[in-house]
């Protein structure tokens, strides 16, 4: 089980924090007294206006010294700590700042050789402000959520993508030190835990990510993503559980996925997958009516949905045992793409399950034209002929149907070479097919080499590109993976020549 991704875009996050502060009208921090606080306020404004001032370190030290040399005896502790927090986070924002610094180098006059974490100092003093004046959380975030935070948060995501999980966890925790009220670090820690097979932590972190994201509308995309991943994570736990625990976890997964679908735009790229996963979880939980609701809108207006949406909705209907609904949805998918292997296979299976054998045959025959070395296709075809023969009254026709049934079933059982597919990925005009060739020839003793000619089709079934792949040697009872890649616009499907 792999999460879709864990990290939504950060663009605009720095600028948007200012609007959150402006919207907060109740915060009232006195920044005008005593004189040390007033001077620190003015200096921080000057530093913010000119962050590359070559004398900035002298100013940092002056502010820290003036605010700390008398200890905690200074009046207006909220204003004092707020100014200290500003300065510490501006220091941490500087990319040249080391992680640990001597207190004396920061302007402290006591314990000058003690090493301290500047970001941790900023966090500690801002927490004092936030604890005494919770209405000022938006104001403190303006200083927490700046380039220092952005730098470590992006580093966490980058190292996660590079599969450097220890580094990703380290940077994510640093990000939380700068600002624990942003969702990205929790999401990254959830992904790290999932990679380390620590599912309880993965679920807890993804749930926390979704909860924190709800605090600010600028994190809407991240909330949607975290809700989706939470549903997937809890769903994987449900699949592995049994009895009442399985039903409980399935309901938890369904709740997250339903919230995702409620809050996300209908055009969200994960919506179809979420509906399919939701249907599966509702089915596990025993909520058949709920499963039907997941695809009702698609069934009511199939022309408004994509081929992928229709197939996912059809799978949901199929899992709920609603084969008539599934067949309608899969048929709608074949109307959009008459050469979709997935749609053709599923519509054939659904029509067989619902007893519409005569309607099934054209679809399964077209499927075999595209995919002649998949034994499952012949099994479905054999089922259709069996169903037709059972109700046929004419003896000659019945015999012919039975003969065709036997031939199809023999192919299902005895195909010497089986081709199966793992993926068909579209990336612009580049289309990649990954599959396997399996050598099931029971009479062969030596490995075989295979040459597979592929034809790539547009929506009208016209061949727009060709490619040949060589696979082998493949020993008896073994299989080997292959990849076919073509660069051509307009491709929606493919077919290959039958292998012996």
């Amino acid at each position: 089980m792999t999460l879709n991704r864990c990290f939504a875009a950060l663009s605009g996050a720095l600028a948007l924090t200012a609007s959150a502060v402006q919207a907060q009208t109740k915060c009232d921090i006195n920044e005008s007294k005593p004189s040390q606080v007033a001077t620190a306020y003015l200096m921080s404004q000057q530093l913010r206006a000119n962050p590359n001032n070559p004398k900035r370190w002298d100013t940092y030290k002056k502010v820290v010294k003036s605010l700390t040399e008398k200890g905690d005896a200074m009046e207006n502790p909220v204003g004092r700590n707020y100014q200290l927090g500003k300065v510490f986070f501006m220091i941490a924002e500087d990319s040249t700042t080391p992680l640990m610094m001597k207190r004396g180098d920061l302007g402290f006059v006591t314990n000058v050789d003690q090493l301290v974490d500047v970001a941790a100092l900023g966090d500690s003093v801002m927490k004092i402000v936030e604890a005494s004046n919770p209405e000022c959380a938006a104001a403190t975030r303006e200083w927490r959520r700046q380039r220092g935070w952005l730098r470590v948060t992006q580093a966490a995501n980058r190292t996660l993508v590079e599969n450097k999980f220890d580094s990703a966890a380290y940077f994510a925790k640093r990000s939380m030190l700068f600002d624990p009220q942003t969702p990205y670090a929790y999401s990254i820690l959830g992904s790290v835990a999932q990679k380390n097979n620590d599912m309880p932590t993965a679920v807890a972190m993804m749930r926390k990510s979704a909860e924190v994201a709800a605090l600010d509308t600028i994190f809407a995309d991240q909330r949607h993503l975290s809700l989706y991943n939470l549903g997937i994570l809890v769903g994987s736990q449900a699949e592995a559980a049994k009895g009442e625990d399985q039903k409980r976890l399935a309901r938890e997964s369904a709740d997250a996925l339903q919230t995702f679908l409620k809050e996300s735009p209908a055009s969200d790229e994960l919506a179809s997958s979420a509906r399919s996963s939701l249907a599966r979880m509702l089915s596990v939980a025993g909520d058949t009516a709920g499963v039907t609701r997941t695809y009702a809108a698609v069934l009511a207006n199939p022309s408004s949905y994509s081929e992928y949406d229709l197939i996912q909705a059809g799978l949901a209907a199929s899992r709920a045992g609603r084969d008539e609904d599934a067949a309608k949805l899969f048929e709608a998918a074949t109307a959009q793409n008459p050469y979709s292997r997935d749609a053709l296979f599923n519509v054939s299976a659904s029509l067989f399950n619902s007893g519409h054998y005569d309607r099934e045959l054209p679809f399964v025959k077209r499927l075999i034209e595209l995919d002649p070395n998949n034994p499952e296709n012949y099994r479905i075809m054999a089922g259709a002929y069996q169903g037709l023969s059972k109700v046929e009254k004419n003896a000659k026709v019945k015999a012919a149907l039975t003969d065709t049934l036997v031939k199809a079933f023999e192919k299902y059982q005895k195909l010497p070479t089986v081709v199966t597919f793992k993926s068909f990925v579209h990336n612009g005009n580049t289309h990649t097919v990954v599959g396997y060739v399996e050598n099931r020839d029971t009479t062969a003793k030596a490995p075989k080499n295979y040459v597979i000619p592929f034809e790539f089709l547009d929506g009208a079934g016209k061949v727009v590109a060709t490619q040949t792949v060589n696979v082998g040697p493949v020993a008896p009872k073994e299989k080997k993976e292959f990849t076919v890649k073509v660069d051509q616009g307009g491709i929606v499907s493919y077919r290959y020549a039958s292998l012996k």
Side-chain angles (χ1 to χ4, degrees):
M1 182 276 306
T2 302
L3 301 183
N4 180 269
R5 61 185 191 282
C6 76
F7 197 69
L10 275 171
S11 59
L14 293 177
L16 285 169
T17 55
S19 65
V21 174
Q22 293 164 8
Q24 178 58 267
T25 58
K26 294 181 180 180
C27 179
D28 185 16
I29 298 176
N30 188 339
E31 299 184 81
S32 62
K33 67 176 186 179
S35 60
Q36 295 93 327
V37 170
T39 301
Y41 168 75
L42 292 173
M43 287 183 171
S44 66
Q45 294 297 102
Q46 293 169 356
L47 288 167
R48 176 51 57 87
N50 186 14
N52 296 318
N53 186 329
K55 296 183 178 181
R56 63 188 182 278
W57 278 100
D58 293 336
T59 305
Y60 293 148
K61 293 178 68 174
K62 286 179 182 178
V63 171
V64 173
K65 180 180 179 181
S66 69
L67 293 172
T68 61
E69 61 184 343
K70 293 184 179 181
D72 295 329
M74 183 182 295
E75 64 174 306
N76 187 13
V78 173
R80 168 181 176 265
N81 283 303
Y82 187 44
Q83 302 309 318
L84 281 172
K86 289 182 183 181
V87 171
F88 290 142
F89 280 122
M90 278 193 284
I91 293 172
E93 186 176 334
D94 191 324
S95 61
T96 64
T97 301
L99 176 64
M100 304 294 290
M101 293 185 64
K102 289 184 178 180
R103 283 169 54 90
D105 292 337
L106 289 168
F108 290 99
V109 295
T110 59
N111 300 320
V112 294
D113 291 326
Q114 180 183 345
L115 290 173
V116 290
D117 184 330
V118 183
L121 287 176
D123 177 52
S124 66
V125 293
M126 285 304 195
K127 279 181 177 176
I128 295 172
V129 176
E130 292 156 1
S132 62
N133 296 60
E135 71 277 8
C136 292
T140 62
R141 282 200 298 271
E142 182 184 2
W143 298 92
R144 286 178 171 278
R145 201 178 296 169
Q146 292 296 329
R147 289 180 180 81
W149 164 78
L150 182 64
R151 189 164 54 246
V152 294
T153 306
Q154 290 178 327
N157 185 61
R158 183 183 65 253
T159 50
L160 177 67
V161 171
E162 294 170 351
N163 293 327
K164 299 175 181 177
F165 303 130
D166 289 345
S167 295
Y170 166 78
F171 285 119
K173 291 174 182 176
R174 293 291 297 173
S175 173
M176 291 164 62
L177 192 64
F178 277 88
D179 189 354
Q181 297 301 313
T182 62
Y184 305 112
Y186 300 106
S187 181
I188 291 167
L189 287 172
S191 291
V192 170
Q194 184 261 333
K195 296 289 186 181
N196 291 330
N197 295 316
D198 181 359
M199 293 304 293
T201 299
V203 169
M205 289 295 100
M206 206 60 68
R207 180 174 284 114
K208 182 68 174 178
S209 176
E211 291 172 354
V212 170
L215 300 176
D216 196 323
T217 56
I218 67 170
F219 299 130
D221 287 346
Q222 183 62 42
R223 174 165 166 80
H224 300 158
L225 186 57
S226 295
L227 284 167
Y228 174 84
N229 283 334
L230 176 62
I232 297 301
L233 284 168
V234 179
S236 71
Q237 290 182 307
E239 295 288 3
K242 294 181 180 180
E244 289 304 312
D245 277 347
Q246 184 180 56
K247 291 184 177 180
R248 175 183 57 80
L249 289 166
R251 286 191 292 269
E252 286 185 22
S253 173
D255 287 344
L257 293 167
Q258 285 171 327
T259 305
F260 164 80
L261 289 167
K262 180 180 178 181
E263 295 185 9
S264 302
S267 59
D268 193 292
E269 63 179 4
L270 299 175
S272 293
S273 175
R275 280 193 294 268
S276 179
S277 297
L278 173 59
R280 169 60 184 164
M281 289 298 101
L282 291 171
S283 178
V284 170
D287 186 355
T288 305
V291 176
T292 304
R293 288 193 294 272
T294 66
Y295 64 81
V298 187
L299 183 64
N301 192 16
S303 61
S304 297
Y305 292 86
S306 69
E307 174 197 341
Y308 177 79
D309 291 332
L310 291 164
I311 290 174
Q312 293 300 312
L315 290 172
S318 182
R319 293 189 186 108
R322 302 296 294 268
D323 291 307
E324 294 281 358
D325 289 348
K328 290 177 183 177
L329 290 160
F330 292 132
E331 281 189 273
T334 63
Q336 288 194 21
N337 180 3
Y339 304 96
S340 166
R341 289 175 60 261
D342 289 341
L344 289 169
F345 181 89
N346 285 297
V347 72
S348 299
S350 295
L351 289 170
F352 170 77
N353 290 336
S354 54
H356 298 298
Y357 309 119
D358 53 341
R359 286 170 54 197
E360 174 197 341
L361 280 176
F363 292 109
V364 74
K365 287 179 179 179
R366 192 189 313 160
L367 174 64
I368 289 172
E369 289 175 0
L370 300 174
D371 189 11
N373 280 79
N374 184 341
E376 290 300 311
N377 299 340
Y378 296 100
R379 182 177 67 86
I380 296 173
M381 174 181 271
Y385 282 113
Q386 183 182 44
L388 290 171
S389 68
K390 283 183 177 180
V391 297
E392 180 57 55
K393 303 298 183 182
N394 184 294
K396 289 185 178 180
V397 175
K398 191 180 187 73
L401 290 170
T402 302
D403 183 58
T404 308
L405 155 65
V406 171
K407 290 179 180 178
F409 195 74
E410 283 181 351
K411 280 207 167 186
Y412 161 65
Q413 289 186 312
K414 300 178 180 179
L415 268 180
T417 304
V418 172
V419 178
T420 54
F421 293 95
K422 180 181 179 181
S423 62
F424 181 32
V425 177
H426 309 278
N427 184 11
N429 287 335
T430 301
H431 309 271
T432 306
V433 176
V434 179
Y436 301 92
V437 173
E438 182 179 357
N439 183 354
R440 290 189 183 178
D441 189 346
T442 56
T443 64
K445 295 183 180 180
K448 285 188 174 182
N449 292 292
Y450 300 92
V451 179
I452 314 176
F454 276 85
E455 295 180 336
F456 290 85
L457 314 176
D458 65 13
K462 179 182 176 182
V463 177
V464 294
T466 60
Q467 187 71 269
T468 298
V469 62
N470 296 299
V471 187
V474 184
K477 299 182 181 180
E478 292 187 2
K479 64 181 179 180
K480 182 164 288 189
E481 184 175 302
F482 66 84
T483 298
V484 189
K485 182 181 291 187
V486 292
D487 293 300
Q488 173 68 48
I491 289 174
V492 300
S493 188
Y494 59 89
R495 65 190 177 207
Y496 62 93
S498 178
L499 302 179
K500 302 298 185 184

